[in-house]
Amino acid sequence: MFRNGRFFCRSCGREWILEKRKNPRLQPPSDARFSNEVLLEFLSLFNTSPNLVHLLESFTSLAFYKLGIPGVSVLIYEPRLDRMTVMSVKNQKSSLSKVALHFEIKKGEDNGPLTECIENCRSIYYKFADQKHKHFRQYARLNRTVAALAVPIHLNGEVLGIITVDYNRDDPEKAENDRYFLELIAAQFAVTLKNRILFEVSQTQSRNFRSLHSAALRLSSLGFKYKVEIFRVILLSLTEFSENELYSLFEWNKDNHTLFGHFLTGNITSPEIRLDIDMGKQSTFKIRIQTTQEESGSQELKRKNPKKESERIPGELSIPLKRYEFFLKEIFELKESKLAHSADFPELEKFGMWGLNLAILPVVHTDKSDVVIILGKRKDRQFNSEELEVLNAFSIQAGISIQNYHLFDERAQKERLDKEIEIAKELQKSLLPRKMPEHKGYEFAGTMLPARGVGGDYYDFITDPFNTETVICIGDVSGKGVPAGIVMATVRTIIHSLVRKKVSPWDIVNTVNTYIFQNYNDSASPRFMSMTVIRWDMSKNEFTFSGAGQGNLYLYRARSGEIEEITTGGIILGIDADISRFENINQFRMLPGDLLIMCTDGALEAADQEGIQFEIERFKRTILRLQNLPLQTMLDEIVSEIRKFTGNREQMDDITLAAIRRIV
């Protein structure tokens, strides 16, 4: 009721206070494009899209067709790279997608209206003709658009992305109608996007920690006697879950004042580099850098973007000792990880760390030695907190492995070969597949019987992190016992690090050849390896393979009831530094009921008391007789048949079998 110029509630008697709105209430547009049905389509998309990529692609397509606009794109913030990037585009000229997808907003850069949209967290309408950035002018010219509307996708003021809409003419009124609808959508989009980003971050962290766990098991097993191999495996293990331009490990030996370093790059075709420096004898010392692609170490290695000729890395350097004493103190006395830039440590530039963002991870601090890992990313990429957390956990495990090496080295002087073989045998078992891949319509199996406790045979089934392809490998290292087993273990690590990069079977074969040739060609006991690598593209049912002297593939065809022999070709690895002339890449397909079996020569060359070998025809007859059994049972029975054939004769070589059966 109204009394003395004021309003009071009839029920409770309290006064009502009426205020005039500062801003008029925003009215929804009457445009038919913005019906409830269209709104529900967008909301349904946010609730059902299976992953971020699908969500973005579906959103741009739906907005393009339902709103009838010349073009729409979505920029998403990437915390790992600290930038906003166009991740999905749909416009009237499909060729323009490539132009749009190259656009990004880096922190600190002025990109006109888009930067204003991010900083002020509000929608911006702008004309392309008014923009200074050449990307806007190029896009407008090619797409024949005049203006655009940028709508922030934000959650509580945190801008997660931007929706941009193109217009063929300058029409602020139409843009205002679109703004109301797009801001309504962007509010729900932000919640969904935040959840997707958090989910994918958690998935990435889960994958990283699974890789970390796998690396930890591997490193704890490899802490034997071979320091160079341990350092190589540590760096190779890092490549499985941390993408960098440079991976390096330094050890400072306090007893004899020597610096040892090992380097890998992010490019699988680039050489590994090792260096040994004796710093205890003179005021200046020489660094001799040895790569896996040269014998003498005198070849010059160029830095990326060298400023001048003197910035090349020669095979030998003379450096004042006093400066390096400061460098050693700064690097090796770190108690916790440190982020830096290569410019902060000019000494590191002598080793090729030029223009990189660095993560320095302390690994070991003992009375005898200090060890650090130094990783480098390009200047436009950063180490984020999640990655640093995983790297710190890895460095702890690497430190344990290196300390285990020192402990084992002391103990190995008292304990002889029997104990070493027993440990190596357990290592080899742990490196073989613990479980077979689980793919609908296919069955996998494998088995290995070493000749002397530890063998040089190898088989593996490796599915990439995205579950789109599986790599199948089988190989045979020359020799037996611990030396062959160590080669096999390192080769396995190399292959696992390459699978996530989605390289071809021949790239894997070629990289393994480079490693074996450069590390064992001049040794007292040279090592060689035969190998077959098969990559199965699950979406196409195509098996692409490359061979390296391993022998034939035996493919049982259910339709004909016969076994087809497929020659793999190639050359034994480790004989020649350059095997490019032996490159071979072939394919086959499998039909329901087909069965593929691979074996090493230990199965075919197994001999009885009279020296008669098991050979191919007897092997094929055994396959035909047992092919209806479950796959693992079948392989076990084949091994039993071979052992029955050889009787009491000593097994002379490792026997390894791997098989795939297509069920449907």
Side-chain angles (χ1 to χ4, degrees):
M1 62 184 170
F2 182 75
R3 185 172 67 248
N4 297 328
R6 293 185 293 177
F7 289 93
F8 296 88
C9 178
R10 293 182 183 273
S11 300
C12 65
R14 293 181 180 178
E15 182 183 0
W16 284 16
I17 300 175
L18 305 180
E19 293 184 358
K20 184 178 180 181
R21 294 182 59 87
K22 294 181 180 178
N23 297 308
R25 188 182 300 276
L26 188 63
Q27 298 295 323
S30 57
D31 196 321
R33 296 176 299 154
F34 308 134
S35 65
N36 289 336
E37 288 77 9
V38 174
L39 178 60
L40 287 173
E41 282 191 65
F42 279 98
L43 296 180
S44 175
L45 173 65
F46 296 143
N47 293 327
T48 59
S49 195
N51 57 56
L52 181 59
V53 173
H54 182 270
L55 170 65
L56 297 176
E57 291 178 351
S58 300
F59 173 81
T60 51
S61 294
L62 185 62
F64 179 78
Y65 291 113
K66 290 294 183 180
L67 305 185
I69 49 182
V72 61
S73 59
V74 179
L75 294 87
I76 299 296
Y77 178 65
E78 298 180 273
R80 184 168 64 90
L81 303 177
D82 199 19
R83 68 185 182 187
M84 191 87 71
T85 307
V86 176
M87 298 193 62
S88 184
V89 179
K90 187 73 176 179
N91 54 34
Q92 57 192 4
K93 292 188 177 182
S94 59
S95 61
L96 285 176
S97 295
K98 293 182 179 180
V99 178
L101 288 170
H102 284 142
F103 184 71
E104 62 182 29
I105 302 174
K106 296 180 180 179
K107 187 176 182 180
E109 289 186 355
D110 183 8
N111 287 282
L114 298 184
T115 300
E116 183 181 351
C117 177
I118 295 170
E119 291 180 349
N120 299 326
C121 192
R122 66 182 181 87
S123 300
I124 301 292
Y125 175 75
Y126 59 94
K127 292 186 288 186
F128 288 113
D130 298 336
Q131 307 310 312
K132 298 179 180 180
H133 199 294
K134 65 179 181 180
H135 179 88
F136 290 99
R137 298 195 301 272
Q138 180 188 21
Y139 182 82
R141 177 174 54 81
L142 295 175
N143 204 25
R144 296 182 181 178
T145 52
V146 174
L149 173 67
V151 178
I153 305 170
H154 70 93
L155 190 63
N156 298 326
E158 178 190 0
V159 178
L160 305 174
I162 300 176
I163 303 170
T164 64
V165 176
D166 300 334
Y167 298 102
N168 289 329
R169 58 191 179 88
D170 182 14
D171 192 347
E173 183 177 349
K174 184 176 186 301
E176 182 65 19
N177 283 337
D178 290 346
R179 181 182 68 82
Y180 173 85
F181 186 74
L182 290 171
E183 286 182 351
L184 187 64
I185 291 173
Q188 181 61 38
F189 199 164
V191 175
T192 303
L193 185 57
K194 185 68 173 181
N195 290 337
R196 297 291 182 190
I197 291 173
L198 290 175
F199 175 76
E200 295 201 4
V201 167
S202 67
Q203 289 291 93
T204 301
Q205 286 181 316
S206 176
R207 286 196 299 270
N208 285 344
F209 277 101
R210 286 199 300 270
S211 297
L212 176 64
H213 178 67
S214 174
L217 292 176
R218 185 182 312 126
L219 292 179
S220 62
S221 299
L222 283 174
F224 297 151
K225 179 181 177 182
Y226 308 96
K227 182 174 71 173
V228 173
E229 297 292 342
I230 292 173
F231 286 1
R232 177 184 288 114
V233 171
I234 287 173
L235 296 181
L236 284 170
S237 297
L238 276 168
T239 67
E240 294 185 19
F241 57 87
S242 180
E243 295 184 5
N244 302 286
E245 288 296 298
L246 184 70
Y247 305 82
S248 64
L249 188 150
F250 290 92
E251 180 186 41
W252 168 242
N253 189 306
K254 300 175 182 178
D255 288 341
N256 54 23
H257 292 82
T258 59
L259 180 67
F260 178 82
H262 199 101
F263 302 81
L264 295 175
T265 68
N267 186 344
I268 62 171
T269 62
S270 297
E272 295 181 23
I273 304 173
R274 293 197 302 272
L275 60 89
D276 284 284
I277 307 173
D278 186 349
M279 302 176 63
K281 295 182 179 180
Q282 47 197 3
S283 60
T284 63
F285 60 89
K286 291 184 177 181
I287 300 176
R288 192 157 188 78
I289 299 177
Q290 181 182 358
T291 77
T292 58
Q293 293 185 353
E294 54 172 321
E295 293 183 4
S296 64
S298 60
Q299 176 183 345
E300 287 190 345
L301 302 173
K302 295 182 180 179
R303 291 184 188 177
K304 291 185 177 181
N305 306 318
K307 295 179 182 177
K308 51 190 177 182
E309 189 71 14
S310 61
E311 288 190 344
R312 292 187 179 184
I313 308 172
E316 194 166 271
L317 297 172
S318 294
I319 301 174
L321 180 58
K322 288 186 177 180
R323 177 62 200 174
Y324 262 83
E325 289 176 343
F326 171 76
F327 161 67
L328 293 173
K329 183 177 180 180
E330 286 289 300
I331 293 294
F332 288 106
E333 291 188 4
L334 287 175
K335 301 301 181 182
E336 57 185 24
S337 59
K338 177 179 180 179
L339 297 180
H341 191 272
S342 58
D344 300 332
F345 296 98
E347 295 77 20
L348 292 176
E349 295 193 353
K350 300 293 184 180
F351 306 132
M353 299 186 191
W354 184 85
L356 297 176
N357 291 318
L358 305 178
I360 305 172
L361 310 170
V363 176
V364 170
H365 285 295
T366 68
D367 294 337
K368 293 186 176 181
S369 69
D370 293 325
V371 179
V372 297
I373 291 173
I374 303 180
L375 306 176
K377 291 185 184 294
R378 298 192 308 267
K379 63 180 181 180
D380 60 333
R381 302 186 66 181
Q382 302 288 336
F383 292 92
N384 58 44
S385 57
E386 292 83 4
E387 184 178 12
L388 204 59
E389 180 182 2
V390 177
L391 291 174
N392 282 327
F394 177 84
S395 65
I396 292 173
Q397 180 59 49
I400 294 172
S401 298
I402 293 173
Q403 288 176 321
N404 287 344
Y405 150 72
H406 289 300
L407 292 173
F408 184 88
D409 190 45
E410 294 174 359
R411 188 181 65 183
Q413 297 177 11
K414 301 176 183 178
E415 298 182 3
R416 300 303 298 169
L417 187 61
D418 289 344
K419 183 63 177 179
E420 181 179 303
I421 290 178
E422 191 62 29
I423 296 174
K425 182 178 179 180
E426 292 301 318
L427 160 66
Q428 189 165 44
K429 288 181 181 179
S430 71
L431 295 177
L432 296 175
R434 299 191 176 190
K435 65 176 183 177
M436 294 297 111
E438 297 178 358
H439 298 303
K440 186 177 180 181
Y442 285 85
E443 187 180 8
F444 298 80
T447 188
M448 188 185 78
L449 185 66
R452 296 182 183 174
V454 180
D457 276 10
Y458 166 66
Y459 78 92
D460 214 341
F461 301 93
I462 314 162
T463 300
D464 76 326
F466 305 99
N467 201 35
T468 58
E469 61 183 29
T470 294
V471 172
I472 304 102
C473 303
I474 189 167
D476 183 359
V477 178
S478 63
K480 305 169 189 66
V482 174
I486 291 296
V487 175
M488 183 274 279
T490 307
V491 167
R492 175 192 181 275
T493 303
I494 291 172
I495 294 173
H496 274 254
S497 70
L498 295 177
V499 167
R500 68 186 297 273
K501 299 178 183 293
K502 292 186 177 295
V503 300
S504 71
W506 180 252
D507 285 333
I508 293 175
V509 168
N510 194 39
T511 303
V512 172
N513 178 73
T514 298
Y515 160 71
I516 295 176
F517 181 85
Q518 300 299 341
N519 286 279
Y520 296 98
N521 181 56
D522 294 329
S523 66
S525 301
R527 296 291 166 192
F528 309 101
M529 185 174 186
S530 60
M531 176 183 286
T532 299
V533 180
I534 303 173
R535 186 176 68 182
W536 172 36
D537 186 336
M538 290 180 276
S539 64
K540 301 177 182 178
N541 187 36
E542 289 183 353
F543 293 81
T544 304
F545 67 94
S546 293
Q550 173 57 39
N552 296 342
L553 306 176
Y554 301 92
L555 182 55
Y556 169 78
R557 295 294 190 183
R559 182 174 295 178
S560 64
E562 297 180 351
I563 294 177
E564 174 185 341
E565 287 191 49
I566 302 176
T567 304
T568 57
I571 184 175
I572 298 293
L573 305 181
I575 296 176
D576 195 336
D578 181 10
I579 61 171
S580 57
R581 63 186 182 278
F582 300 101
E583 179 174 351
N584 61 93
I585 302 178
N586 299 287
Q587 289 185 338
F588 65 86
R589 300 174 68 87
M590 293 180 68
L591 300 176
D594 287 357
L595 167 66
L596 175 71
I597 292 188
M598 301 174 284
C599 68
T600 57
D601 54 11
L604 303 179
E605 296 174 3
D608 63 10
Q609 298 291 344
E610 297 179 5
I612 300 173
Q613 296 184 344
F614 196 74
E615 294 185 338
I616 294 175
E617 291 305 317
R618 189 177 283 105
F619 184 72
K620 290 164 67 174
R621 288 197 301 270
T622 305
I623 294 174
L624 291 173
R625 181 164 52 84
L626 301 173
Q627 57 90 15
N628 288 322
L629 295 175
L631 202 56
Q632 189 62 57
T633 303
M634 175 186 174
L635 297 188
D636 293 339
E637 286 296 318
I638 292 175
V639 171
S640 296
E641 287 293 316
I642 295 173
R643 300 190 76 169
K644 289 179 184 177
F645 176 80
T646 58
N648 294 326
R649 182 164 181 170
E650 180 184 0
Q651 182 181 336
M652 301 304 295
D653 200 359
D654 307 327
I655 297 173
T656 302
L657 304 171
I660 310 170
R661 173 186 281 144
R662 182 173 178 184
I663 302 172
V664 295

